[in-house]
Each structure stands twice: as C-alpha cells, then as structure tokens.
Amino acid sequence: QVQLVESGGGLVQPGGSLRLSCAASGTIASIYVMGWYRQAPGKQREFVARITWDGTTNYADSVKGRFTISRDNVKNTVALQMNSLMPEDTADYYCSARIRPDGLGYNSYWGQGTQVTVSS
C-alpha cells in the first residue's frame, strides 16, 4: 500500500519562508510526477507546483518566483520551498503523486495535508 506523508506546515509571518516535505512509502516501482496542491477555507483545491521524474517543473502563476519544488528520486520525496509568503498563501497543502506500484499501472495518491497559515 502506498502512502504519502507531508510535514513542515505551520504559522509564519508575511514575507517569511516555510519548507514542506512529502515522503512516499510502500510498494513503489516508479513515480512519474509529484506535486503540491492547496485548498484555502471556502475554496476549491488548486494546483501549486509539480515536478516530473526527469525534473521538469510547472508552477501556478500565483507562486512563480516565490516557490521552488524539488524531488529526490532515490528517497521518493518531494519538497516545496516557499519564500515571500503572503496571507493569500494560507491553506491546507496536499502532496500528490502518480505512482506505479510494482507490476501495476499508475495510480494517483494524496497525502493527508499540512496546514500553512501566513499571518502577522
């Protein structure tokens, strides 16, 4: 069984930084893409950033230049470095991945979420 576990959320002042991490565990043959989504109170979940197996990255316009996604293909982890945080970045952040368990096709998996609050 595949699991994604996030860590690193918390409370930070505007202009500050946080680093989120996500580790995939279980039976994993390969991971095509890992990424982050977020959901603010009363809003729909939205895409934040993603990184494919070969290091190709994509970012939402709202975070370009402030957030950086990276991954470790050996450790099956993905990180999101968030700088210049703004109150509108406040949300629950979810790790997501397309993973192929050994001998099977790719499936989508989600973590349980980690809360990020940007407030003075």
Side-chain angles (χ1 to χ4, degrees):
Q1 185 174 359
V2 174
Q3 286 188 321
L4 299 178
V5 178
E6 302 105 333
S7 61
L11 172 65
V12 64
Q13 292 186 342
S17 299
L18 276 177
R19 184 177 178 85
L20 305 183
S21 297
C22 172
S25 62
T27 302
I28 298 172
S30 62
I31 302 177
Y32 172 65
V33 60
M34 302 186 80
W36 294 90
Y37 289 72
R38 66 187 182 186
Q39 186 167 17
K43 295 187 177 181
Q44 291 188 334
R45 189 172 297 188
E46 64 176 6
F47 166 76
V48 176
R50 57 175 253 166
I51 182 168
T52 59
W53 66 274
D54 63 353
T56 301
T57 58
N58 299 98
Y59 296 92
D61 288 342
S62 59
V63 307
K64 281 181 182 177
R66 301 187 299 121
F67 291 9
T68 302
I69 190 170
S70 60
R71 70 185 274 182
D72 185 324
N73 289 339
V74 174
K75 296 181 179 179
N76 290 333
T77 59
V78 64
L80 185 68
Q81 178 65 42
M82 305 186 294
N83 299 329
S84 302
L85 283 162
M86 303 183 294
E88 46 264 49
D89 294 317
T90 296
D92 291 326
Y93 283 71
Y94 296 88
C95 176
S96 176
R98 291 281 291 173
I99 296 173
R100 184 170 68 88
D102 192 24
L104 301 176
Y106 282 95
N107 295 316
S108 293
Y109 296 88
W110 292 88
Q112 80 287 354
T114 185
Q115 189 173 54
V116 172
T117 302
V118 184
S119 175
S120 55

